[in-house]
Amino acid sequence: MSEAKGGRGAQLKHTGLRPGWTTGACATAATTAAYTALLTGEFPDPVTITLPRGQTPAFALAAEELAAGRAMAAVVKDAGDDPDVTHGALIRSTVRLLPPGSGVVFRAGEGVGTITLPGLPLPVGEPAINPVPRQMMRDHVALVAGRHGVPGDVEITISVDHGEEIARSTWNPRLGILGGLSILGTTGIVVPYSCSAWIDSIRRGVDVARAAGRTHVAGCTGSTSEKTVVTEYGLPEDALLDMGDFAGAVLKYVRRHPVDRLTICGGFAKLSKLAAGHLDLHSARSQVNKQFLAELAREGGAAESLAAEVAEANTGLAALQSCTAAGVPLGDLVAARARDEALGVLRGAPVVVDVICIDRAGNVVGRSEPAGP
C-alpha cells in the first residue's frame, strides 16, 4: 500500500474522502526503486517520488527482486476512496541496463496493453503507458542516474498482475488497447468520484472513432441503449461511446472534435434530465423533473387532468405510460427537447444530432428528427 508525506493521505477538504494514486504514480515509484537497486544493490523502501504538481508521496514496496543487469520492484495501487477497478492491483516495474546512448525504452509486460488502433496519444504498436507517466519515469530515472554519475540508459517494462482480466472492465478493448490495462495519470493523484478516468475514456473513444473514419457516433447510457443504436443504424463497436451519465462530456468534446452525426440514446428518465438542461445525468446530481414533464405534456396536447397526473407521477416511466395511454407523445417531446439542449451545448459545431429514448427493455419510446446548425 502507499502512504504519503505531508498529509497527502489525509481526507480531501469538503468531501471527507481519501485520495489515492494513479497507476502512473505507482509505476514511477516502482521504477525509481528498481533503478536505484540496480545501481546500488539496495531497494529504497518506502520510495519517494515527486508528482507533476510537486507533491512527494512515499510508497511501500510489495515485492522486489535483484538479478544481474536488472531489478524489479512492485507497488500495490491504492486508489483511496475512489471505486477504481485497479484499486489493489500490483504494479511491477522491471528495469534493465542498456548500452550508452539508448535512452529510456518502454515495454509492455504482462497485464499492460498495447495500442492497436490510431487516434490515441501514442502510436500503434506502443505500450499503453501514457505520455505523462512516461515523462515521470524518465524524470526520475534521470534524477537517480545523476546522483550516481551514470547516463541513465534503461529499458523499463511495466506489468500489472491480472491486468488483462481487469482490463475487460474498462474501455480498453473498445479503444483497441489489447492485452491489458493502460498506465494512466496526469497529476499522479486519484480524486475520489471525480470520474476523470471515465470522461477521459469518452474523449479517447471519440478520437479513435474519428481516426477510424467514423462519421456517425452514438453516446449511449448503457449496454441496452448500445444494442438499440446498433439495431437502428448498424454502427460498429468503435463508433459507440459508453457515456454513462456524462452527456456533457460527450457534447463538449464533440464540439471541439466534430463528427458529422451524433446519436444520443438512453433511458427515457435519464434523457428527460438532458431535456431539462442537465448535462450530468446521475441520480445523485440531477433528478427527473415531473413539473417539466407536465409542461411538455401540455405542449403535446395533454388535458390539464393528464398534466396534473404527470406532475404527481411516482416515476418518469409512470408519467410516460400515462401519456402513451392518452395518445400524447411525451417520449418524442422529450427526445426533441434533449436534442435541442444538445445542439445548444454544441454551439454551432457542424454536427447533426438525433435522440432516441428507450424503456428498460430496450423498446424505443421516443425519438427526435435529426437536426443540426
Side-chain angles (χ1 to χ4, degrees), residues 50-90:
T50 301
L51 299 181
R53 294 181 180 174
Q55 301 95 334
T56 55
F59 296 77
L61 300 185
E64 56 189 56
E65 181 182 306
L66 183 60
R70 68 175 182 86
M72 184 279 295
V75 169
V76 175
K77 176 174 172 176
D78 178 2
D81 290 329
D82 192 68
D84 189 319
V85 295
T86 59
H87 177 70
L90 190 67

PDB file of all heavy atoms in Angstrom, residues 50-90:
ATOM      1  N   THR A  50       8.352  12.564  -6.808  1.00  0.00           N
ATOM      2  CA  THR A  50       7.755  13.896  -6.917  1.00  0.00           C
ATOM      3  C   THR A  50       6.736  13.885  -8.046  1.00  0.00           C
ATOM      4  O   THR A  50       7.057  13.522  -9.185  1.00  0.00           O
ATOM      5  CB  THR A  50       8.830  14.953  -7.200  1.00  0.00           C
ATOM      6  OG1 THR A  50       9.790  14.930  -6.141  1.00  0.00           O
ATOM      7  CG2 THR A  50       8.205  16.348  -7.280  1.00  0.00           C
ATOM      8  N   LEU A  51       5.516  14.271  -7.730  1.00  0.00           N
ATOM      9  CA  LEU A  51       4.444  14.287  -8.712  1.00  0.00           C
ATOM     10  C   LEU A  51       4.486  15.575  -9.534  1.00  0.00           C
ATOM     11  O   LEU A  51       5.164  16.538  -9.153  1.00  0.00           O
ATOM     12  CB  LEU A  51       3.096  14.142  -8.007  1.00  0.00           C
ATOM     13  CG  LEU A  51       2.901  12.848  -7.200  1.00  0.00           C
ATOM     14  CD1 LEU A  51       1.506  12.825  -6.569  1.00  0.00           C
ATOM     15  CD2 LEU A  51       3.111  11.615  -8.068  1.00  0.00           C
ATOM     16  N   PRO A  52       3.772  15.630 -10.654  1.00  0.00           N
ATOM     17  CA  PRO A  52       3.833  16.807 -11.525  1.00  0.00           C
ATOM     18  C   PRO A  52       3.495  18.117 -10.844  1.00  0.00           C
ATOM     19  O   PRO A  52       3.989  19.169 -11.262  1.00  0.00           O
ATOM     20  CB  PRO A  52       2.821  16.472 -12.632  1.00  0.00           C
ATOM     21  CG  PRO A  52       2.860  14.977 -12.728  1.00  0.00           C
ATOM     22  CD  PRO A  52       3.029  14.522 -11.308  1.00  0.00           C
ATOM     23  N   ARG A  53       2.675  18.089  -9.799  1.00  0.00           N
ATOM     24  CA  ARG A  53       2.319  19.325  -9.103  1.00  0.00           C
ATOM     25  C   ARG A  53       3.109  19.541  -7.822  1.00  0.00           C
ATOM     26  O   ARG A  53       2.768  20.388  -7.011  1.00  0.00           O
ATOM     27  CB  ARG A  53       0.814  19.347  -8.813  1.00  0.00           C
ATOM     28  CG  ARG A  53      -0.027  19.409 -10.087  1.00  0.00           C
ATOM     29  CD  ARG A  53      -1.503  19.454  -9.797  1.00  0.00           C
ATOM     30  NE  ARG A  53      -2.288  19.521 -11.034  1.00  0.00           N
ATOM     31  CZ  ARG A  53      -3.616  19.460 -11.086  1.00  0.00           C
ATOM     32  NH1 ARG A  53      -4.316  19.311  -9.960  1.00  0.00           N
ATOM     33  NH2 ARG A  53      -4.251  19.525 -12.250  1.00  0.00           N
ATOM     34  N   GLY A  54       4.173  18.744  -7.655  1.00  0.00           N
ATOM     35  CA  GLY A  54       5.089  18.994  -6.556  1.00  0.00           C
ATOM     36  C   GLY A  54       4.886  18.166  -5.306  1.00  0.00           C
ATOM     37  O   GLY A  54       5.715  18.224  -4.387  1.00  0.00           O
ATOM     38  N   GLN A  55       3.814  17.383  -5.202  1.00  0.00           N
ATOM     39  CA  GLN A  55       3.631  16.546  -4.019  1.00  0.00           C
ATOM     40  C   GLN A  55       4.689  15.439  -3.983  1.00  0.00           C
ATOM     41  O   GLN A  55       5.171  15.009  -5.041  1.00  0.00           O
ATOM     42  CB  GLN A  55       2.224  15.920  -4.006  1.00  0.00           C
ATOM     43  CG  GLN A  55       1.096  16.927  -4.020  1.00  0.00           C
ATOM     44  CD  GLN A  55       0.583  17.203  -5.421  1.00  0.00           C
ATOM     45  OE1 GLN A  55       1.325  17.046  -6.395  1.00  0.00           O
ATOM     46  NE2 GLN A  55      -0.672  17.596  -5.531  1.00  0.00           N
ATOM     47  N   THR A  56       5.023  14.991  -2.789  1.00  0.00           N
ATOM     48  CA  THR A  56       6.085  13.989  -2.647  1.00  0.00           C
ATOM     49  C   THR A  56       5.601  12.780  -1.845  1.00  0.00           C
ATOM     50  O   THR A  56       5.984  12.594  -0.688  1.00  0.00           O
ATOM     51  CB  THR A  56       7.323  14.603  -1.973  1.00  0.00           C
ATOM     52  OG1 THR A  56       6.925  15.180  -0.716  1.00  0.00           O
ATOM     53  CG2 THR A  56       7.957  15.665  -2.846  1.00  0.00           C
ATOM     54  N   PRO A  57       4.761  11.934  -2.425  1.00  0.00           N
ATOM     55  CA  PRO A  57       4.307  10.748  -1.706  1.00  0.00           C
ATOM     56  C   PRO A  57       5.418   9.700  -1.606  1.00  0.00           C
ATOM     57  O   PRO A  57       6.327   9.653  -2.439  1.00  0.00           O
ATOM     58  CB  PRO A  57       3.153  10.234  -2.561  1.00  0.00           C
ATOM     59  CG  PRO A  57       3.477  10.700  -3.941  1.00  0.00           C
ATOM     60  CD  PRO A  57       4.155  12.030  -3.763  1.00  0.00           C
ATOM     61  N   ALA A  58       5.305   8.868  -0.585  1.00  0.00           N
ATOM     62  CA  ALA A  58       6.237   7.750  -0.400  1.00  0.00           C
ATOM     63  C   ALA A  58       5.448   6.447  -0.471  1.00  0.00           C
ATOM     64  O   ALA A  58       4.373   6.330   0.119  1.00  0.00           O
ATOM     65  CB  ALA A  58       6.953   7.870   0.935  1.00  0.00           C
ATOM     66  N   PHE A  59       5.971   5.481  -1.201  1.00  0.00           N
ATOM     67  CA  PHE A  59       5.272   4.220  -1.452  1.00  0.00           C
ATOM     68  C   PHE A  59       6.056   3.062  -0.846  1.00  0.00           C
ATOM     69  O   PHE A  59       7.268   2.936  -1.075  1.00  0.00           O
ATOM     70  CB  PHE A  59       5.128   3.983  -2.957  1.00  0.00           C
ATOM     71  CG  PHE A  59       4.275   4.991  -3.668  1.00  0.00           C
ATOM     72  CD1 PHE A  59       4.773   6.244  -3.967  1.00  0.00           C
ATOM     73  CD2 PHE A  59       2.983   4.682  -4.041  1.00  0.00           C
ATOM     74  CE1 PHE A  59       3.995   7.178  -4.628  1.00  0.00           C
ATOM     75  CE2 PHE A  59       2.195   5.604  -4.701  1.00  0.00           C
ATOM     76  CZ  PHE A  59       2.695   6.864  -5.002  1.00  0.00           C
ATOM     77  N   ALA A  60       5.365   2.194  -0.132  1.00  0.00           N
ATOM     78  CA  ALA A  60       5.977   0.964   0.357  1.00  0.00           C
ATOM     79  C   ALA A  60       6.058  -0.047  -0.785  1.00  0.00           C
ATOM     80  O   ALA A  60       5.179  -0.101  -1.639  1.00  0.00           O
ATOM     81  CB  ALA A  60       5.151   0.394   1.498  1.00  0.00           C
ATOM     82  N   LEU A  61       7.115  -0.843  -0.796  1.00  0.00           N
ATOM     83  CA  LEU A  61       7.278  -1.863  -1.822  1.00  0.00           C
ATOM     84  C   LEU A  61       6.562  -3.149  -1.404  1.00  0.00           C
ATOM     85  O   LEU A  61       6.631  -3.567  -0.248  1.00  0.00           O
ATOM     86  CB  LEU A  61       8.749  -2.145  -2.078  1.00  0.00           C
ATOM     87  CG  LEU A  61       9.596  -0.960  -2.557  1.00  0.00           C
ATOM     88  CD1 LEU A  61      11.004  -1.433  -2.883  1.00  0.00           C
ATOM     89  CD2 LEU A  61       8.958  -0.273  -3.759  1.00  0.00           C
ATOM     90  N   ALA A  62       5.876  -3.768  -2.367  1.00  0.00           N
ATOM     91  CA  ALA A  62       5.185  -5.029  -2.104  1.00  0.00           C
ATOM     92  C   ALA A  62       6.013  -6.222  -2.563  1.00  0.00           C
ATOM     93  O   ALA A  62       5.767  -7.350  -2.123  1.00  0.00           O
ATOM     94  CB  ALA A  62       3.835  -5.042  -2.817  1.00  0.00           C
ATOM     95  N   ALA A  63       6.964  -5.999  -3.469  1.00  0.00           N
ATOM     96  CA  ALA A  63       7.834  -7.068  -3.947  1.00  0.00           C
ATOM     97  C   ALA A  63       9.097  -6.439  -4.511  1.00  0.00           C
ATOM     98  O   ALA A  63       9.086  -5.293  -4.964  1.00  0.00           O
ATOM     99  CB  ALA A  63       7.126  -7.903  -5.013  1.00  0.00           C
ATOM    100  N   GLU A  64      10.177  -7.195  -4.468  1.00  0.00           N
ATOM    101  CA  GLU A  64      11.443  -6.714  -5.029  1.00  0.00           C
ATOM    102  C   GLU A  64      12.295  -7.914  -5.433  1.00  0.00           C
ATOM    103  O   GLU A  64      12.194  -8.999  -4.846  1.00  0.00           O
ATOM    104  CB  GLU A  64      12.196  -5.847  -4.019  1.00  0.00           C
ATOM    105  CG  GLU A  64      12.470  -6.530  -2.698  1.00  0.00           C
ATOM    106  CD  GLU A  64      13.021  -5.574  -1.656  1.00  0.00           C
ATOM    107  OE1 GLU A  64      12.371  -4.549  -1.381  1.00  0.00           O
ATOM    108  OE2 GLU A  64      14.112  -5.877  -1.101  1.00  0.00           O
ATOM    109  N   GLU A  65      13.101  -7.696  -6.469  1.00  0.00           N
ATOM    110  CA  GLU A  65      13.954  -8.781  -6.966  1.00  0.00           C
ATOM    111  C   GLU A  65      15.139  -8.151  -7.694  1.00  0.00           C
ATOM    112  O   GLU A  65      14.969  -7.279  -8.544  1.00  0.00           O
ATOM    113  CB  GLU A  65      13.142  -9.651  -7.931  1.00  0.00           C
ATOM    114  CG  GLU A  65      13.904 -10.827  -8.510  1.00  0.00           C
ATOM    115  CD  GLU A  65      13.052 -11.613  -9.484  1.00  0.00           C
ATOM    116  OE1 GLU A  65      11.942 -12.027  -9.097  1.00  0.00           O
ATOM    117  OE2 GLU A  65      13.477 -11.761 -10.649  1.00  0.00           O
ATOM    118  N   LEU A  66      16.332  -8.599  -7.342  1.00  0.00           N
ATOM    119  CA  LEU A  66      17.551  -8.050  -7.938  1.00  0.00           C
ATOM    120  C   LEU A  66      18.339  -9.185  -8.573  1.00  0.00           C
ATOM    121  O   LEU A  66      18.597 -10.220  -7.942  1.00  0.00           O
ATOM    122  CB  LEU A  66      18.397  -7.358  -6.860  1.00  0.00           C
ATOM    123  CG  LEU A  66      19.677  -6.660  -7.320  1.00  0.00           C
ATOM    124  CD1 LEU A  66      19.371  -5.562  -8.334  1.00  0.00           C
ATOM    125  CD2 LEU A  66      20.420  -6.094  -6.108  1.00  0.00           C
ATOM    126  N   ALA A  67      18.690  -9.017  -9.849  1.00  0.00           N
ATOM    127  CA  ALA A  67      19.477 -10.009 -10.571  1.00  0.00           C
ATOM    128  C   ALA A  67      20.521  -9.276 -11.395  1.00  0.00           C
ATOM    129  O   ALA A  67      20.547  -8.037 -11.442  1.00  0.00           O
ATOM    130  CB  ALA A  67      18.573 -10.856 -11.463  1.00  0.00           C
ATOM    131  N   ALA A  68      21.398 -10.025 -12.052  1.00  0.00           N
ATOM    132  CA  ALA A  68      22.456  -9.414 -12.849  1.00  0.00           C
ATOM    133  C   ALA A  68      21.853  -8.589 -13.982  1.00  0.00           C
ATOM    134  O   ALA A  68      21.140  -9.110 -14.842  1.00  0.00           O
ATOM    135  CB  ALA A  68      23.368 -10.501 -13.418  1.00  0.00           C
ATOM    136  N   GLY A  69      22.106  -7.293 -13.968  1.00  0.00           N
ATOM    137  CA  GLY A  69      21.680  -6.418 -15.056  1.00  0.00           C
ATOM    138  C   GLY A  69      20.235  -5.988 -15.040  1.00  0.00           C
ATOM    139  O   GLY A  69      19.790  -5.243 -15.916  1.00  0.00           O
ATOM    140  N   ARG A  70      19.471  -6.411 -14.028  1.00  0.00           N
ATOM    141  CA  ARG A  70      18.074  -5.978 -13.965  1.00  0.00           C
ATOM    142  C   ARG A  70      17.575  -6.014 -12.525  1.00  0.00           C
ATOM    143  O   ARG A  70      18.137  -6.721 -11.666  1.00  0.00           O
ATOM    144  CB  ARG A  70      17.173  -6.842 -14.843  1.00  0.00           C
ATOM    145  CG  ARG A  70      17.019  -8.269 -14.365  1.00  0.00           C
ATOM    146  CD  ARG A  70      16.001  -9.034 -15.213  1.00  0.00           C
ATOM    147  NE  ARG A  70      15.829 -10.404 -14.709  1.00  0.00           N
ATOM    148  CZ  ARG A  70      14.983 -10.733 -13.731  1.00  0.00           C
ATOM    149  NH1 ARG A  70      14.262  -9.794 -13.137  1.00  0.00           N
ATOM    150  NH2 ARG A  70      14.893 -11.988 -13.327  1.00  0.00           N
ATOM    151  N   ALA A  71      16.526  -5.253 -12.290  1.00  0.00           N
ATOM    152  CA  ALA A  71      15.900  -5.238 -10.968  1.00  0.00           C
ATOM    153  C   ALA A  71      14.405  -5.026 -11.147  1.00  0.00           C
ATOM    154  O   ALA A  71      13.958  -4.342 -12.074  1.00  0.00           O
ATOM    155  CB  ALA A  71      16.483  -4.136 -10.096  1.00  0.00           C
ATOM    156  N   MET A  72      13.603  -5.630 -10.241  1.00  0.00           N
ATOM    157  CA  MET A  72      12.154  -5.482 -10.285  1.00  0.00           C
ATOM    158  C   MET A  72      11.666  -4.999  -8.930  1.00  0.00           C
ATOM    159  O   MET A  72      12.098  -5.496  -7.889  1.00  0.00           O
ATOM    160  CB  MET A  72      11.476  -6.813 -10.628  1.00  0.00           C
ATOM    161  CG  MET A  72       9.954  -6.743 -10.788  1.00  0.00           C
ATOM    162  SD  MET A  72       9.024  -6.770  -9.208  1.00  0.00           S
ATOM    163  CE  MET A  72       9.435  -8.410  -8.604  1.00  0.00           C
ATOM    164  N   ALA A  73      10.777  -4.014  -8.941  1.00  0.00           N
ATOM    165  CA  ALA A  73      10.103  -3.572  -7.724  1.00  0.00           C
ATOM    166  C   ALA A  73       8.626  -3.450  -8.028  1.00  0.00           C
ATOM    167  O   ALA A  73       8.227  -3.189  -9.177  1.00  0.00           O
ATOM    168  CB  ALA A  73      10.656  -2.236  -7.244  1.00  0.00           C
ATOM    169  N   ALA A  74       7.775  -3.638  -7.015  1.00  0.00           N
ATOM    170  CA  ALA A  74       6.330  -3.609  -7.219  1.00  0.00           C
ATOM    171  C   ALA A  74       5.661  -2.810  -6.112  1.00  0.00           C
ATOM    172  O   ALA A  74       6.105  -2.809  -4.960  1.00  0.00           O
ATOM    173  CB  ALA A  74       5.763  -5.022  -7.265  1.00  0.00           C
ATOM    174  N   VAL A  75       4.574  -2.132  -6.496  1.00  0.00           N
ATOM    175  CA  VAL A  75       3.781  -1.316  -5.576  1.00  0.00           C
ATOM    176  C   VAL A  75       2.323  -1.708  -5.742  1.00  0.00           C
ATOM    177  O   VAL A  75       1.850  -1.916  -6.868  1.00  0.00           O
ATOM    178  CB  VAL A  75       3.970   0.189  -5.894  1.00  0.00           C
ATOM    179  CG1 VAL A  75       2.962   1.045  -5.155  1.00  0.00           C
ATOM    180  CG2 VAL A  75       5.388   0.628  -5.567  1.00  0.00           C
ATOM    181  N   VAL A  76       1.591  -1.808  -4.640  1.00  0.00           N
ATOM    182  CA  VAL A  76       0.148  -2.051  -4.703  1.00  0.00           C
ATOM    183  C   VAL A  76      -0.564  -0.720  -4.887  1.00  0.00           C
ATOM    184  O   VAL A  76      -0.349   0.213  -4.110  1.00  0.00           O
ATOM    185  CB  VAL A  76      -0.356  -2.752  -3.428  1.00  0.00           C
ATOM    186  CG1 VAL A  76      -1.886  -2.875  -3.455  1.00  0.00           C
ATOM    187  CG2 VAL A  76       0.274  -4.128  -3.282  1.00  0.00           C
ATOM    188  N   LYS A  77      -1.402  -0.637  -5.905  1.00  0.00           N
ATOM    189  CA  LYS A  77      -2.117   0.611  -6.141  1.00  0.00           C
ATOM    190  C   LYS A  77      -3.177   0.829  -5.078  1.00  0.00           C
ATOM    191  O   LYS A  77      -4.025  -0.021  -4.836  1.00  0.00           O
ATOM    192  CB  LYS A  77      -2.781   0.622  -7.519  1.00  0.00           C
ATOM    193  CG  LYS A  77      -3.602   1.901  -7.689  1.00  0.00           C
ATOM    194  CD  LYS A  77      -4.191   2.107  -9.033  1.00  0.00           C
ATOM    195  CE  LYS A  77      -5.125   3.301  -8.996  1.00  0.00           C
ATOM    196  NZ  LYS A  77      -5.695   3.663 -10.276  1.00  0.00           N
ATOM    197  N   ASP A  78      -3.134   2.009  -4.468  1.00  0.00           N
ATOM    198  CA  ASP A  78      -4.146   2.435  -3.502  1.00  0.00           C
ATOM    199  C   ASP A  78      -4.915   3.584  -4.139  1.00  0.00           C
ATOM    200  O   ASP A  78      -4.379   4.677  -4.314  1.00  0.00           O
ATOM    201  CB  ASP A  78      -3.461   2.882  -2.208  1.00  0.00           C
ATOM    202  CG  ASP A  78      -4.451   3.377  -1.163  1.00  0.00           C
ATOM    203  OD1 ASP A  78      -5.663   3.335  -1.421  1.00  0.00           O
ATOM    204  OD2 ASP A  78      -3.992   3.820  -0.089  1.00  0.00           O
ATOM    205  N   ALA A  79      -6.164   3.326  -4.518  1.00  0.00           N
ATOM    206  CA  ALA A  79      -6.982   4.364  -5.163  1.00  0.00           C
ATOM    207  C   ALA A  79      -7.735   5.217  -4.155  1.00  0.00           C
ATOM    208  O   ALA A  79      -8.611   5.984  -4.529  1.00  0.00           O
ATOM    209  CB  ALA A  79      -7.958   3.723  -6.138  1.00  0.00           C
ATOM    210  N   GLY A  80      -7.397   5.091  -2.874  1.00  0.00           N
ATOM    211  CA  GLY A  80      -8.107   5.870  -1.862  1.00  0.00           C
ATOM    212  C   GLY A  80      -9.552   5.414  -1.782  1.00  0.00           C
ATOM    213  O   GLY A  80      -9.858   4.226  -1.822  1.00  0.00           O
ATOM    214  N   ASP A  81     -10.467   6.375  -1.700  1.00  0.00           N
ATOM    215  CA  ASP A  81     -11.890   6.061  -1.594  1.00  0.00           C
ATOM    216  C   ASP A  81     -12.605   6.081  -2.941  1.00  0.00           C
ATOM    217  O   ASP A  81     -13.828   6.102  -2.992  1.00  0.00           O
ATOM    218  CB  ASP A  81     -12.574   7.043  -0.641  1.00  0.00           C
ATOM    219  CG  ASP A  81     -12.153   6.819   0.809  1.00  0.00           C
ATOM    220  OD1 ASP A  81     -11.859   5.659   1.159  1.00  0.00           O
ATOM    221  OD2 ASP A  81     -12.107   7.785   1.583  1.00  0.00           O
ATOM    222  N   ASP A  82     -11.819   6.075  -4.030  1.00  0.00           N
ATOM    223  CA  ASP A  82     -12.438   6.049  -5.350  1.00  0.00           C
ATOM    224  C   ASP A  82     -12.742   4.600  -5.741  1.00  0.00           C
ATOM    225  O   ASP A  82     -11.927   3.714  -5.497  1.00  0.00           O
ATOM    226  CB  ASP A  82     -11.497   6.663  -6.392  1.00  0.00           C
ATOM    227  CG  ASP A  82     -12.196   6.930  -7.706  1.00  0.00           C
ATOM    228  OD1 ASP A  82     -13.059   7.821  -7.726  1.00  0.00           O
ATOM    229  OD2 ASP A  82     -11.887   6.270  -8.696  1.00  0.00           O
ATOM    230  N   PRO A  83     -13.919   4.349  -6.363  1.00  0.00           N
ATOM    231  CA  PRO A  83     -14.258   2.977  -6.782  1.00  0.00           C
ATOM    232  C   PRO A  83     -13.552   2.612  -8.080  1.00  0.00           C
ATOM    233  O   PRO A  83     -14.163   2.352  -9.113  1.00  0.00           O
ATOM    234  CB  PRO A  83     -15.779   3.044  -6.963  1.00  0.00           C
ATOM    235  CG  PRO A  83     -16.036   4.454  -7.358  1.00  0.00           C
ATOM    236  CD  PRO A  83     -15.033   5.290  -6.600  1.00  0.00           C
ATOM    237  N   ASP A  84     -12.249   2.565  -8.044  1.00  0.00           N
ATOM    238  CA  ASP A  84     -11.406   2.358  -9.220  1.00  0.00           C
ATOM    239  C   ASP A  84     -11.180   0.864  -9.407  1.00  0.00           C
ATOM    240  O   ASP A  84     -10.810   0.160  -8.457  1.00  0.00           O
ATOM    241  CB  ASP A  84     -10.074   3.080  -8.975  1.00  0.00           C
ATOM    242  CG  ASP A  84      -9.186   3.138 -10.197  1.00  0.00           C
ATOM    243  OD1 ASP A  84      -9.103   2.130 -10.913  1.00  0.00           O
ATOM    244  OD2 ASP A  84      -8.560   4.173 -10.415  1.00  0.00           O
ATOM    245  N   VAL A  85     -11.368   0.359 -10.646  1.00  0.00           N
ATOM    246  CA  VAL A  85     -11.209  -1.085 -10.870  1.00  0.00           C
ATOM    247  C   VAL A  85      -9.775  -1.545 -10.658  1.00  0.00           C
ATOM    248  O   VAL A  85      -9.539  -2.735 -10.467  1.00  0.00           O
ATOM    249  CB  VAL A  85     -11.671  -1.497 -12.282  1.00  0.00           C
ATOM    250  CG1 VAL A  85     -13.152  -1.279 -12.455  1.00  0.00           C
ATOM    251  CG2 VAL A  85     -10.880  -0.789 -13.365  1.00  0.00           C
ATOM    252  N   THR A  86      -8.809  -0.617 -10.694  1.00  0.00           N
ATOM    253  CA  THR A  86      -7.417  -1.013 -10.495  1.00  0.00           C
ATOM    254  C   THR A  86      -6.976  -0.909  -9.032  1.00  0.00           C
ATOM    255  O   THR A  86      -5.809  -1.163  -8.734  1.00  0.00           O
ATOM    256  CB  THR A  86      -6.479  -0.156 -11.373  1.00  0.00           C
ATOM    257  OG1 THR A  86      -6.637   1.223 -11.042  1.00  0.00           O
ATOM    258  CG2 THR A  86      -6.785  -0.371 -12.846  1.00  0.00           C
ATOM    259  N   HIS A  87      -7.895  -0.543  -8.131  1.00  0.00           N
ATOM    260  CA  HIS A  87      -7.532  -0.490  -6.709  1.00  0.00           C
ATOM    261  C   HIS A  87      -7.065  -1.867  -6.247  1.00  0.00           C
ATOM    262  O   HIS A  87      -7.710  -2.884  -6.489  1.00  0.00           O
ATOM    263  CB  HIS A  87      -8.740  -0.055  -5.875  1.00  0.00           C
ATOM    264  CG  HIS A  87      -8.473  -0.046  -4.405  1.00  0.00           C
ATOM    265  ND1 HIS A  87      -7.647   0.882  -3.809  1.00  0.00           N
ATOM    266  CD2 HIS A  87      -8.896  -0.867  -3.416  1.00  0.00           C
ATOM    267  CE1 HIS A  87      -7.596   0.641  -2.519  1.00  0.00           C
ATOM    268  NE2 HIS A  87      -8.342  -0.415  -2.256  1.00  0.00           N
ATOM    269  N   GLY A  88      -5.921  -1.901  -5.616  1.00  0.00           N
ATOM    270  CA  GLY A  88      -5.364  -3.159  -5.125  1.00  0.00           C
ATOM    271  C   GLY A  88      -4.508  -3.899  -6.131  1.00  0.00           C
ATOM    272  O   GLY A  88      -3.927  -4.938  -5.796  1.00  0.00           O
ATOM    273  N   ALA A  89      -4.414  -3.392  -7.353  1.00  0.00           N
ATOM    274  CA  ALA A  89      -3.601  -4.066  -8.375  1.00  0.00           C
ATOM    275  C   ALA A  89      -2.115  -3.932  -8.050  1.00  0.00           C
ATOM    276  O   ALA A  89      -1.666  -2.906  -7.517  1.00  0.00           O
ATOM    277  CB  ALA A  89      -3.884  -3.482  -9.750  1.00  0.00           C
ATOM    278  N   LEU A  90      -1.340  -4.958  -8.385  1.00  0.00           N
ATOM    279  CA  LEU A  90       0.102  -4.930  -8.159  1.00  0.00           C
ATOM    280  C   LEU A  90       0.784  -4.427  -9.425  1.00  0.00           C
ATOM    281  O   LEU A  90       0.728  -5.073 -10.479  1.00  0.00           O
ATOM    282  CB  LEU A  90       0.609  -6.322  -7.797  1.00  0.00           C
ATOM    283  CG  LEU A  90       2.063  -6.383  -7.297  1.00  0.00           C
ATOM    284  CD1 LEU A  90       2.196  -5.675  -5.953  1.00  0.00           C
ATOM    285  CD2 LEU A  90       2.530  -7.830  -7.173  1.00  0.00           C
TER     286      LEU A  90
END
